[in-house]
């Protein structure tokens, strides 16, 4: 049965109705009826071909929540009608050294939901069954959608770098990713400092669980925070005074960026070597890590702040994302 979707036909194009035939369902595939789909800045980047590997027609949407509509012959552990989520990654080889130990995100043959594959701005979408992650009963479908990219992008580095209740943590940027990062860290029991250019979001950040707030524009507040943090998570896609952030780390501290800077990052090796500090990248998690995040969010009440749009109003929703004025994620409803 043909799949009805919304696609960009050219870079920076408006989304138009688009129908395609997905072919026979593979033995390890599932087809998911889409009920909700978040909009991420990565969708905008793919539409605009910012990263120079978009293929058109392009169906965006990689924060997909829905119900299982069809199962491949070899799929086990999922049931028709079950609620699941599909994030950035929709497949891997399943056989390499990384897949065998649950690190599918490192697979050289990973398949991504909106890279040479049609995503969730559609009535249905397909993925390898391993990447259709069941939702816990306590997690609302609209709330779950942004967790499939924004949520896992900030949560996974916390897992990888051993964040605990004793970690002195900071989050740079209180936006679509940052407002979730503050909540996750606070619910882990961390003392959390929110960092933004001004104090405009001070009250909001404290509402998400931040204990302290640092404004960087025209102040010396960041310099005064020298040697304060064990873990700093940068969520903004901008060039930063990286030396000041390294100086804000305690010995063996980690500065992790999930935002893509505008320019190449330049660091002082001495700042890293002297106290064994680290500068790291972070990305979305494996299926097991996303499942862990879902369960944590459901138990601890981590909620994305969302604005909802009907799927048919997709271009109005995309315009809202492009303005950067949404608070803080946009979710489409079928």
């Amino acid at each position: 049965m043909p799949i009805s979707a919304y696609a960009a036909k050219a870079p920076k194009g408006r989304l138009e109705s688009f129908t395609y035939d997905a072919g026979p369902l593979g033995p390890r595939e599932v087809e998911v009826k889409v009920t909700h789909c978040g909009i991420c800045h990565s969708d905008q980047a793919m539409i605009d071909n910012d990263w120079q590997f978009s293929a058109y027609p392009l169906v965006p949407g990689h924060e997909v929540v829905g119900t299982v509509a069809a199962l491949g012959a070899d799929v086990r552990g999922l049931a028709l009608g079950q609620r699941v989520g599909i994030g950035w990654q929709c497949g891997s080889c399943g056989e390499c050294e990384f897949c065998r130990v649950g690190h599918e995100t490192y697979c050289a043959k990973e398949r991504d939901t909106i890279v040479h594959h049609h995503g969730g701005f559609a009535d249905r979408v397909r993925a390898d069954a391993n990447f259709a992650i069941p939702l816990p009963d306590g997690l609302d479908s609209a709330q779950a959608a942004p967790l499939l990219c924004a949520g896992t992008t900030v949560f996974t580095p916390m897992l990888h770098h051993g964040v605990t209740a004793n970690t002195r943590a900071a989050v740079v940027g209180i936006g679509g990713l940052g407002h979730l990062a503050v909540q996750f860290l606070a619910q882990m029991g961390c003392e959390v400092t929110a960092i933004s250019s001004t104090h405009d979001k001070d009250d909001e950040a404290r509402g998400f669980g931040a204990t302290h707030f640092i404004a960087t524009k025209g102040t010396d507040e960041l310099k005064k925070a020298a040697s304060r943090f064990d873990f700093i998570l940068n969520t903004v896609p901008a060039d930063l005074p990286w030396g000041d952030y390294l100086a804000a780390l305690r010995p063996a501290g980690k500065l992790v960026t999930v935002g893509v800077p505008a320019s190449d990052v330049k660091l002082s090796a001495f700042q890293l070597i002297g106290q064994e500090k680290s500068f790291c990248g972070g990305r979305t998690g494996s299926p097991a890590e996303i499942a862990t995040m879902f369960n944590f969010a459901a138990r601890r009440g981590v909620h994305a702040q969302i604005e909802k749009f009907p799927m048919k109003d997709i271009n109005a929703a995309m315009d809202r994302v492009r303005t950067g004025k949404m608070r803080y994620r946009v979710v489409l409803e079928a």
Side-chain angles (χ1 to χ4, degrees):
M1 187 167 75
I3 291 177
S4 297
Y6 292 92
K9 303 292 181 66
K12 301 184 185 298
R14 304 288 282 178
L15 294 164
E16 306 173 28
S17 295
F18 173 66
T19 301
Y20 69 95
D21 185 349
L25 190 66
R28 291 169 44 185
E29 282 190 312
V30 295
E31 186 166 278
V32 174
K33 180 182 178 181
V34 178
T35 62
H36 298 81
C37 190
I39 301 180
C40 178
H41 282 289
S42 297
D43 293 311
Q44 178 186 323
M46 288 294 293
I47 291 169
D48 295 348
N49 198 23
D50 287 348
W51 300 328
Q52 300 299 305
F53 53 73
S54 298
Y56 301 90
L58 187 145
V59 179
H62 60 279
E63 296 180 339
V64 187
V65 173
T67 56
V68 176
L71 296 164
D74 295 341
V75 175
R76 302 292 182 269
L78 293 174
L80 293 175
Q82 184 174 4
R83 285 194 314 150
V84 296
I86 300 167
W88 178 262
Q89 192 175 2
C90 66
S92 68
C93 76
E95 299 173 353
C96 70
E97 60 178 311
F98 301 113
C99 288
R100 288 200 301 269
V101 296
H103 292 308
E104 292 92 341
T105 52
Y106 302 153
C107 177
K109 296 180 180 179
E110 73 162 313
R111 295 184 294 281
D112 300 324
T113 303
I114 62 171
V115 180
H116 302 284
H117 181 278
H118 292 318
F121 291 3
D123 62 351
R124 284 168 291 134
V125 66
R126 289 188 180 179
D128 284 4
N130 188 42
F131 294 86
I133 299 125
L135 270 63
D137 291 339
L139 192 59
D140 176 76
S141 293
Q143 285 289 330
L147 297 181
L148 283 154
C149 187
T152 180
T153 296
V154 298
F155 186 82
T156 302
M158 300 172 195
L159 293 180
H160 288 187
H161 298 292
V163 170
T164 70
N166 293 322
T167 300
R168 298 173 179 88
V171 176
V172 184
I174 310 305
L177 278 71
H179 88 289
L180 289 168
V182 170
Q183 291 182 68
F184 280 126
L185 289 165
Q187 289 301 325
M188 290 176 182
C190 299
E191 180 181 284
V192 187
T193 298
I195 303 177
S196 189
S197 57
T198 70
H199 279 282
D200 290 350
K201 294 181 179 179
D202 197 322
D203 290 342
E204 278 187 284
R206 293 179 190 276
F208 295 133
T211 307
H212 309 288
F213 195 99
I214 288 174
T216 59
K217 187 176 181 179
T219 79
D220 61 355
E221 294 175 28
L222 180 58
K223 290 185 182 295
K224 287 182 176 179
S227 302
R228 182 182 298 182
F229 306 114
D230 303 299
F231 177 82
I232 301 175
L233 182 67
N234 171 50
T235 70
V236 300
D239 295 330
L240 297 177
W242 302 109
D244 291 345
Y245 282 99
L246 287 174
L249 290 174
R250 287 160 49 84
K254 298 181 186 298
L255 170 57
V256 180
T257 187
V258 297
V260 181
S263 307
D264 290 344
V265 175
K266 294 183 178 180
L267 303 171
S268 165
F270 286 108
Q271 279 190 290
L272 299 175
I273 293 169
Q275 294 183 325
E276 294 188 334
K277 298 177 181 180
S278 301
F279 181 88
C280 314
R283 60 160 293 171
T284 57
S286 68
E289 289 163 340
I290 293 174
T292 297
M293 175 202 62
F294 274 162
N295 288 318
F296 183 94
R299 290 197 313 270
R300 304 298 298 182
V302 174
H303 294 292
Q305 188 168 314
I306 61 176
E307 299 178 7
K308 298 179 183 179
F309 284 76
M311 183 75 77
K312 65 181 179 64
D313 293 339
I314 179 63
N315 283 304
M318 282 301 310
D319 289 344
R320 184 70 173 159
V321 172
R322 286 182 182 278
T323 66
K325 295 180 180 179
M326 70 285 186
R327 288 291 187 271
Y328 277 104
R329 303 294 288 192
V330 170
V331 176
L332 302 167
E333 295 186 304

